[in-house]
Amino acid sequence: IGYTGQNWSTKVNLTNVHARHVQIKASDGLTTQNIGGLVGWIGVGGGDTWLENCSAEDIHITGYQAGGLVGQLVGGRGCKFTNCWTEDVEVRMTFLSYASGFIGSINNGAGSKLVDCKAPARVVYLDDKTGEIKTNYRGEPYEPESEFYGSCGGTDIVIETTTGTTEP
């Protein structure tokens, strides 16, 4: 799913939706954003938005605001993820960006929750130009803010009773 919801009124409800063996290679990793293994962009302005028992596995994506499950989550009325997981995720990026093996970027996570979710045990962040491990300006490997998201602006997302990373 490329784009779903909107900032003001649409609700998104996905149950038992699974993506496997996904490869998204845009023509230009520098300007391509909101790339996700299952959903690229979710706008949750309508509230009561949720994903339940959803997963993404063997995901290979290029871009920024990129995540194994969701590329970007936008809106301040909350989205609930229950029993969702990802595994075997590769994110290629041109520059340091908001990326993770689960949700790439959260723009105002107010009211959003992850319940009994699993972050990937295997996730790799690569430089799109060289194929090497992506590093920051200090030469250290890229690390997202959390195992569940690359960045979270505004209010942090609430992570409840998660079971940690999935087993390889």
Side-chain angles (χ1 to χ4, degrees), residues 24 27 46 57 87 101 137 146 151:
I24 301 172
S27 61
E57 183 177 12
E87 187 52 71
Y137 66 94
S146 162
S151 73

Side-chain angles (χ1 to χ4, degrees), residues 68-128:
L69 190 69
V70 175
Q72 184 179 33
L73 175 64
V74 177
R77 295 188 194 163
C79 182
K80 185 175 182 181
F81 295 81
T82 304
N83 195 35
C84 295
W85 61 273
T86 59
E87 187 52 71
D88 191 18
V89 178
E90 177 184 288
V91 179
R92 298 177 73 95
M93 54 185 103
T94 302
F95 60 93
L96 287 177
S97 63
Y98 308 124
S100 90
F102 201 79
I103 301 171
S105 174
I106 301 170
N107 182 355
N108 190 357
S112 293
K113 291 182 181 182
L114 281 90
V115 178
D116 293 327
C117 292
K118 298 176 191 130
R122 185 189 174 286
V123 60
V124 179
Y125 304 100
L126 300 176
D127 185 305
D128 191 37

